[in-house]
Amino acid sequence: MKHFWVFLSITTLLFTNSFSQKPDKLTSAELFHELQKLNFLGTALYVAAHPDDENTSLISYLANHEKARTVYLSMTRGDGGQNLIGSELRELLGVLRTQELLAARHMDGGEQRFTRANDFGFSKHPNETLKIWDKEKVLADVVWAIRNIKPDVIINRFNHRTPGTTHGHHTSSAVLSMEAFDIANDPKVYSDQLQWTTTWQPKRIFYNTSWWQYGSQEAFEKVDKSGMVKFDVGTYYPELGLSNNEIAAMARSQHLCQGFGRLTDRGASDEYIELLKGDMPKNNNVFEGINTTWSRVEGGEAVGEILYKVEENFDFQNPAKHIPDLVKAYELLQQVDDEHWRTLKSEELKNIILAASGLYLEASSASASATPGSKTTINIETINRSAPSVTLKEIEIIGADTKLMPNKVLGENQRENFEISFTVPESTSYTSPYWLNEPGTLGTYTVNEQGLIGKPETPSAFKAIFNLQIDGIEIPFEKSVVHRYSKPDRGELYEPFAILPEVTSKIDEKVLIFANADTKEVQVKIRAGKNDVSGTVVLNHPSGWVVSPSSIPFTIAQKGEEISVAFNVTPPNTESEGKLEPKITLGSKVYDKELVEIDYNHIPKQSVLLPSEAKVVRMNIKKSGEHIAYIMGAGDNVPESLEQIGYQVHVVDPNDIQNGDLDKYDAVVVGIRAYNVVDALKFKQPVLFDYVKNGGTMIVQYNTAGRWSNQFENIAPYDVTLSRDRVTDENAEVKILAPNNSLVNFPNNITEKDFDGWVQERGLYFPSEWSSEFTPILSMKDEGETEKQGSLIVAPYGEGHYIYTGLSFFRELPVGVSGAYKLFANMLSIGKDEVKKDSNVKG
Ligand SMILES: [Zn+2]
């Protein structure tokens, strides 16, 4: 099982982690910093739930001040959140956030791991979280992480003793960490893991406490801290030219899709961790009493003897002077039996040898991608920029079973280039995040290969092993095959070398709503992964639907080129939903994947292969009115959704609205969190309320309570108090409180059944109090809570209607939930049945 361990450690190091598509080039001061880390044999594991939960100050402090191997274990990849920089959501957002975490670790010197848990959205209580996650699986993954990483100390970001006070994912991460601490050393627990790893008992576990746990800074000052370890996380590293908190801010600023770009901090700053289990360390030293020298490893003393001397006498002007010693230490290290430390420290030491000798090794594919079965070329560059003799014995391409044996002395500062061409084996896996290869559940990803569990990303398909003889000793150096290229406006760039299908397909609109029986044209985009692709495409569809033509032949000449073909899709007369799935046949093979590329400057380009499909929904929906004004808030796709059911939506800028401008619209809809983010609304409320008074309909979607309340006394024309009430169970029973109200009768009759099939949650930030003019329409609650009646409230105002709703239409409409569409159509249609209603009331 030796091979597995090599595999496991490859992406773990600062130098060689995945982010280093772009090679690190260390100054001698940075090299010295790495040498100090090489000579520290201690490990810390930081545990939390999401990308951005991690305390980058503490991670950086442990990695750069303590010099410990420091790993952040995030339960999830953050799929459930929002995206401030692009359109990726759900699993694609998880891919983006995974890379942002890797970028953050690249800054703060930590490593990154995950479990199979999926960020399914907000959860109030760890009991709910652990049910949806499948506690057994996620606990197994935390134990797996502890057994592989072998931390001396574990630090939880969250408090396991306060369920219900924060996101259920947060508390769960701490609960699982506490349990795993107790069982990771028991060979009877998850014993199947022991064919690949060994049991492990961490020495201590802490909670990364803070003043907010105690309500205020003042209250925290009074707390007895005898059970806590204190660090000054503002310490300065002259060899890096940075303070710890400057590094932490740079790392935190990698979380750009969450809007965490921020100013740097400098100066002394205290951080506390509270001991939960294990003995209390002395002198604020978390590793106190733990042997963190080379003597902790059997046979390590001889290695340490050499390496401590190198550190002591380090020559900043000529680090290559130390190569004979470093190579000698490497040779001794290979004789150490302890596989864990041998593997880990060999990788660190090899990178130090590379940096000390100014050795540059690169394997770069000539093209950005290739398909299985195609011919590909890899350009090899090697250069030795130091005096000691280095011989390049051979270069082996792992994954292609091919090698080159130059057996050539690399003369000082003489670049040597080679070319290796081979056929990509048919069996090569496509480049795509491994956790998305199989359908998962709401709570966990499906990963069948134990060796992949926890890894931040899919290992690259091809790696180059450079076998070098340095000072008489043969040392293998591994580099992932990358693609290096340049852009005139961005300079030299690196990206992963991707293995992609010969052809992929895509329907741009992921949900197509058919509000009547009319035929719609559906475009299918086809993209070639190689030159000269020809085949046929069909569109699989649910029964009762008609698609024509039944198949379309196509030819694409150029790799990377995309064409578009059109099918006519006719829905049945009755309500129906299902999927449209393009299937492409080339020869005897069928291709059914969509390729999504995620490309931002702060992360390496990501290729994601997903099932190519679109949801189709035929709903019998009635509506009144036609022109809708939409005021954008924090961003949602509600306008596009309303257009799908035949409304004309006009996005209006509140800055431009004057009295009377809105009268031409049947309704004005305010987007999510608009009062939190759009300053102009502060001044335009009177204009909006006048519009309602004159007979208009105003619909306000959720805003967060608190942030705006000082500035806005008037989110509604009557008193409304927003609260933090939310119903997170998307299946929570919904009761109709006002069965005669037009919102549940006109033009669509709404019943409890219309709340089937909702996703993620019912809604959030419901009002908790409202004046008597309002009528609450619905009631719902999460398990163990009281009924919440504020999800949808309506009041007449002048001649018109004002509606406030915290229901999550922004989530339901884009995924085609039919009941949500009908209810929204009723909101937009309110008042259009006045004549009928009057006659009903009077009659
Ligand atoms: Zn979080």
Side-chain angles (χ1 to χ4, degrees), residues 234-274:
T235 186
Y236 179 67
Y237 308 118
E239 72 275 23
L240 303 177
L242 291 164
S243 297
N244 188 72
N245 29 21
E246 287 181 305
I247 295 174
M250 279 157 53
R252 200 142 181 80
S253 292
Q254 299 305 309
H255 292 303
L256 289 182
C257 77
Q258 312 204 53
F260 275 35
R262 57 183 52 193
L263 285 172
T264 50
D265 254 349
R266 280 171 282 273
S269 169
D270 288 338
E271 191 71 50
Y272 290 88
I273 57 175
E274 177 195 341

Side-chain angles (χ1 to χ4, degrees), residues 113-125:
R113 290 289 187 282
F114 295 93
T115 72
R116 283 171 289 177
N118 192 335
D119 176 6
F120 57 83
F122 189 79
S123 171
K124 287 176 179 166
H125 200 278

Side-chain angles (χ1 to χ4, degrees), residues 68-90:
R69 180 186 184 209
T70 307
V71 183
Y72 172 36
L73 176 64
S74 177
M75 297 293 130
T76 75
R77 296 173 187 264
D79 313 49
Q82 271 138 42
N83 182 356
L84 292 180
I85 59 170
S87 59
E88 295 83 8
L89 284 174
R90 298 299 314 159

Side-chain angles (χ1 to χ4, degrees), residues 303-574:
V303 180
E305 207 170 302
I306 298 171
L307 292 177
Y308 290 129
K309 264 190 213 137
V310 174
E311 185 182 332
E312 220 168 282
N313 305 310
F314 190 72
D315 188 336
F316 286 85
Q317 294 198 44
N318 181 23
K321 189 180 99 180
H322 302 295
I323 295 215
D325 283 336
L326 294 171
V327 167
K328 183 90 211 325
Y330 175 83
E331 196 185 11
L332 287 171
L333 182 54
Q334 301 321 298
Q335 291 154 25
V336 164
D337 279 339
D338 185 322
E339 199 174 22
H340 175 72
W341 285 112
R342 185 183 67 238
T343 312
L344 211 57
K345 289 295 170 185
S346 290
E347 286 304 315
E348 290 181 34
L349 182 49
K350 284 198 282 184
N351 284 305
I352 285 171
I353 292 170
L354 279 187
S357 51
L359 265 166
Y360 185 82
L361 309 171
E362 182 180 283
S364 169
S365 61
S367 59
S369 69
T371 57
S374 69
K375 207 148 166 76
T376 195
T377 299
I378 293 175
N379 298 312
I380 303 287
E381 181 181 331
T382 60
I383 188 164
N384 166 31
R385 291 166 292 185
S386 64
S389 159
V390 174
T391 305
L392 175 61
K393 305 285 284 185
E394 64 171 36
I395 305 156
E396 190 184 351
I397 304 296
I398 303 287
D401 199 20
T402 180
K403 64 167 88 170
L404 207 67
M405 289 191 277
N407 208 8
K408 198 166 187 177
V409 174
L410 299 177
E412 188 175 355
N413 215 18
Q414 300 300 309
R415 194 182 70 196
E416 297 285 351
N417 291 84
F418 307 92
E419 233 182 58
I420 302 180
S421 292
F422 60 89
T423 300
V424 176
E426 289 287 353
S427 60
T428 307
S429 302
Y430 295 134
T431 304
S432 191
Y434 70 86
W435 61 94
L436 300 178
N437 284 345
E438 304 279 333
T441 64
L442 178 63
T444 34
Y445 295 115
T446 302
V447 181
N448 295 322
E449 194 183 328
Q450 183 69 31
L452 287 172
I453 291 176
K455 277 180 185 288
E457 57 181 354
T458 311
S460 53
F462 298 104
K463 289 174 176 146
I465 309 279
F466 296 80
N467 279 311
L468 300 183
Q469 193 174 313
I470 306 175
D471 213 48
I473 305 295
E474 220 170 283
I475 308 179
F477 294 90
E478 183 176 289
K479 297 277 171 188
S480 289
V481 175
V482 296
H483 174 58
R484 181 170 71 124
Y485 64 110
S486 69
K487 272 188 180 171
D489 55 345
R490 282 184 61 201
E492 185 174 70
L493 296 167
Y494 287 81
E495 63 182 50
F497 174 46
I499 305 303
L500 299 175
E502 297 183 342
V503 65
T504 53
S505 64
K506 178 186 180 188
I507 299 173
D508 275 334
E509 280 182 306
K510 291 291 166 252
V511 176
L512 294 152
I513 307 289
F514 292 74
N516 52 45
D518 292 353
T519 298
K520 279 191 186 184
E521 190 181 88
V522 174
Q523 300 279 335
V524 175
K525 289 180 174 166
I526 305 172
R527 182 186 190 274
K530 62 169 196 174
N531 290 341
D532 299 321
V533 173
S534 54
T536 54
V537 55
V538 301
L539 195 55
N540 283 8
H541 54 81
S543 70
W545 294 64
V546 178
V547 168
S548 74
S550 57
S551 91
I552 301 177
F554 69 91
T555 300
I556 305 175
Q558 291 287 323
K559 176 180 174 178
E561 192 184 333
E562 191 175 75
I563 61 156
S564 201
V565 298
F567 289 93
N568 288 314
V569 176
T570 311
N573 270 319
T574 51

Side-chain angles (χ1 to χ4, degrees), residues 3 27 117 151 159 421 494 675 721 804 843:
H3 188 71
T27 66
N159 194 340
S421 292
Y494 287 81
Y675 290 92
T721 308
Y804 188 92

